[in-house]
Amino acid sequence: MTVPLPKLKWMYEQMVKIRYYEETMVAVYAEGKQPVFNIGAGTVPGEMHLAAGQEPAAVGICAHLQKKDTVTAPHRPHHHAIAKGVDLKRMTAEIFGKKTGLGKGKGGHMHLFDPHVKFSCGGIIAAGIPHAAGAALAAKMKGKDSVAVAFVGEGAANAGAFHETLNLAALWKLPLIVVIEDNAYGISVPKSESTAVKTNDRRAAAYGIPGVYVEDNDPVEMYRVSEEAVDRARRGEGPSIIEIETYRYLGHFQGDPEIYRNPEEVPLLRKKDPIHRLITLLEEQSVSSGELEQMEIRARQEVDEAYEFARNSSYPDPAEALEDVFHRAEVNV
Amino acid sequence: METTAERMLTGNKAMAEAIAQEMERDPNVFVMGEDVGKYGGIFGSTEGLLKKFGPSRVLDTPISETAFIGAAIGAAAEGMRPIAELMFVDFFGVCMDQIYNHMAKIHYMSGGSVKIPMVLMTAVGGGYNDAAQHSQTLYATFAHLPGMKVVAPSTPYDLKGMMISAIRDDNPVVFMFHKSLQGLGWMDPIDAAIGPVPEAPYTVPLGKAKVVRPGKDVTIVALQMMTHYALEAADRLAEQGIEAEVIDLRSLVPLDRETILQSVRKTHRLVVVDEDYRSYGVTAEVAALAAEEAMYDLEAPIRRLAIPDVPIPYSRPLEQRIIPGPQSIFDTVVKLMEE
């Protein structure tokens, strides 16, 4: 399987952008939290779940999605948002709690909504799966060929919403793909201590749908299996499960002491970095180092501009806390 | 003498007609829930809809409330206008995350950029010996949590008009219908479950209470079955020379504060009656409103009647002991008038 060169370049640029976004956030999040860590202090307060290392899951499938397709994501959502094309400036402003943010400062990093590209995320494990199924149902009812992708962590496969929704989606042949990012831990608990099956693609058998497992955080394999699942969904043949073995380079959240894993684990994972693998593939296809550098510069520039936009934006007026509980136009006549 | 023959409908037929008319008007409206298809809803709320609109718009679901209520949310975010039925409100425990963390909060968390125009309809209420897990109203549980409108109509006329308003509303609406007011053949037949309902579509606004009996001596604030019990009590009070004003709340969110306060300022006495638990509930909210805004208009302490913080018991004499009724309302008002 070879990924078409334009798609490969797109995946590379997105992965570089995501990685740089998350690394920048590590530094920005630490601002104002030194010397003593205080979760509510600094430029970006609250919990912060970063996805450095988990880029292949997001880009491998988003490479097959269009604007009309829906994506729901969990509490660790930046890589999905970027790969789906969420407005990076307004997303960053939201994470900074600014008025110019996607949710005007009411959502924060775990609650990003960009209806222009049909992206949403939320902080409750597995809860986005039924929302994606609903989007898939709406597409089916309207006779459209759009699909919905629900990203979840491997811990979500043990939640009721996962099983209820997959049964429903299989029964109704909804154009839904559930992507499980197996980053090996639910906060601190390893998958082997939480999950009765080794891999969650096996659970697809319970619903009579296809399930595949992508090993070793492989972006190319993720691209390949996603193509099958998305095409199948677009053809009206129903849902699929894709689980990908992926790597979480950082803690569950920033400030996580990571006492539950061996300090040597992450350096070993980083040696197999998926971005390096894509560089090798691009070089094999005669993409010059100059072009790679240009792509990286472009990606970084976009991220820098987003952070700049967020920093320069104003906080909302405190009175705005009372707005947006209900939609103003109360009756749609 | 000229008479106008008014069309009489039961509560369930009024609801089903409202849904059918909105489904005809707007192709984005659809219904899903357990037994809403062939069965027409356990409490008749979707009677006749499957035959009229077919299984693509009237969807029987698996017993998976999280999945189908969550799917309704996802579909609403895409511009559909789903009506999801939670068979008994008592079942909210298996799916409340979708209701209060998502349905109710997405509009706010998105800064208003995502609308969730859906109706979550659900059967409430006791009085027919269905015991602790099938008899609650849980009005206050839902009304407490911000981001969803909560309505509880008391007559077939309001069931139809408020259902149409709920479907057209761009916000999530929890539409609570009382089982005893559906007019079902297999329940105690009561007069209040049947009433005049015009055939042509009409709306009754959400968030507006109704003075269902004017009076000058005491205000009784109630909703659903308690409204009908309050009216019964008011008839008997009138025989004693006490003119009670009865307010049917109809909506809990938004709460029509002005109608309550106007009445209290007129009668100077307030009794609040509720078929939900007493503590931290509807009676406390209405009493607090009167105390904050109309304290000096009151000539006597506020009285509250509600379920005395026990699960709903099964046995007939036990259940009758804990749900307020015409007699306990009558007694409470008579006693209050002496203060």
Side-chain angles (χ1 to χ4, degrees), chain B residues 44-56:
Chain B
S45 54
T46 58
E47 194 180 292
L49 297 181
L50 177 70
K51 207 173 165 196
K52 210 163 192 171
F53 300 101
S56 63

Side-chain angles (χ1 to χ4, degrees), chain A residues 21 71-82 86-87 90-96 101-103 106-115 118-123, chain B residues 106 109-110 113-114:
Chain A
Y21 190 89
V71 163
T72 68
H75 57 287
R76 192 184 312 284
H78 300 169
H79 52 323
H80 314 119
I82 292 171
V86 167
D87 183 324
R90 295 192 61 208
M91 164 174 148
T92 311
E94 183 60 31
I95 295 168
F96 276 56
L102 290 167
K106 294 194 173 89
H109 127 90
M110 283 188 276
H111 315 105
L112 303 165
F113 297 84
D114 190 348
K118 294 185 185 277
F119 175 86
S120 67
C121 61
Chain B
I106 284 174
M109 295 194 297
S110 72
S113 72
V114 180

Side-chain angles (χ1 to χ4, degrees), chain B:
Chain B
M1 199 174 84
E2 257 185 34
T3 55
T4 313
E6 283 184 305
R7 195 180 64 135
M8 304 294 276
L9 285 188
T10 56
N12 85 295
K13 287 189 163 52
M15 271 180 84
E17 183 170 272
I19 297 169
Q21 288 175 343
E22 286 304 290
M23 287 178 76
E24 275 163 12
R25 192 185 70 91
D26 183 348
N28 292 319
V29 178
F30 70 99
V31 181
M32 61 176 164
E34 292 153 13
D35 305 283
V36 298
K38 262 187 203 152
Y39 210 99
I42 294 297
F43 300 104
S45 54
T46 58
E47 194 180 292
L49 297 181
L50 177 70
K51 207 173 165 196
K52 210 163 192 171
F53 300 101
S56 63
R57 290 182 75 195
V58 181
L59 289 77
D60 269 328
T61 64
I63 305 171
S64 304
E65 289 84 356
T66 292
F68 76 78
I69 293 172
I73 295 166
E78 301 278 337
M80 302 297 286
R81 302 186 89 84
I83 302 166
E85 179 166 279
L86 176 63
M87 187 187 287
F88 288 71
V89 75
D90 313 67
F91 302 169
F92 85 98
V94 301
C95 56
M96 194 57 169
D97 176 58
Q98 287 298 332
I99 297 168
Y100 89 113
N101 261 331
H102 305 277
M103 183 183 88
K105 290 178 184 165
I106 284 174
H107 185 268
Y108 186 81
M109 295 194 297
S110 72
S113 72
V114 180
K115 289 186 290 184
I116 307 295
M118 65 177 278
V119 178
L120 180 66
M121 64 180 178
T122 186
V124 307
Y128 64 102
N129 312 99
D130 219 1
Q133 297 172 345
H134 292 75
S135 298
Q136 300 165 96
T137 64
L138 303 175
Y139 298 130
T141 302
F142 288 82
H144 179 66
L145 299 160
M148 47 194 166
K149 295 189 176 179
V150 181
V151 303
S154 309
T155 64
Y157 182 89
D158 285 349
L159 280 163
K160 177 170 174 181
M162 291 174 75
M163 176 54 84
I164 291 180
S165 293
I167 294 167
R168 294 183 190 177
D169 201 291
D170 279 337
N171 295 288
V173 179
V174 178
F175 190 99
M176 295 176 151
F177 58 94
H178 200 288
K179 286 164 255 176
S180 299
L181 295 173
Q182 290 293 83
L184 303 169
W186 45 278
M187 292 187 104
D188 192 15
I190 56 172
D191 292 346
I194 184 157
V197 178
E199 192 163 357
Y202 60 91
T203 58
V204 171
L206 310 184
K208 294 278 180 239
K210 188 179 181 188
V211 177
V212 289
R213 178 191 174 109
K216 61 177 175 46
D217 298 325
V218 57
T219 299
I220 307 174
V221 172
L223 72 166
Q224 293 197 318
M225 274 311 287
M226 298 302 111
T227 300
H228 298 295
Y229 291 157
L231 286 168
E232 269 185 67
D235 282 345
R236 289 178 50 201
L237 288 162
E239 291 163 11
Q240 311 264 316
I242 300 167
E243 290 300 330
E245 177 149 300
V246 179
I247 294 176
D248 180 10
L249 282 178
R250 302 197 293 188
S251 289
L252 292 168
V253 181
L255 181 65
D256 183 355
R257 294 179 165 80
E258 210 36 56
T259 296
I260 299 167
L261 291 171
Q262 267 177 17
S263 179
V264 170
R265 286 179 184 131
K266 183 173 81 174
T267 65
H268 311 294
R269 281 181 163 80
L270 175 62
V271 175
V272 194
V273 194
D274 183 17
E275 196 190 327
D276 194 1
Y277 305 118
R278 177 181 170 92
S279 294
Y280 311 98
V282 172
T283 58
E285 184 62 33
V286 174
L289 171 72
E292 283 178 338
E293 303 293 335
M295 178 76 144
Y296 300 112
D297 292 293
L298 288 168
E299 285 175 8
I302 299 162
R303 294 292 175 226
R304 300 195 279 150
L305 282 167
I307 293 176
D309 297 339
V310 297
I312 317 284
Y314 163 65
S315 176
R316 198 171 292 120
L318 300 179
E319 190 187 32
Q320 284 171 353
R321 163 65 184 79
I322 58 101
I323 298 180
Q327 186 63 47
S328 59
I329 299 170
F330 176 87
D331 292 345
T332 300
V333 172
V334 168
K335 206 166 163 225
L336 180 66
M337 294 312 293
E338 289 162 3
E339 294 199 39

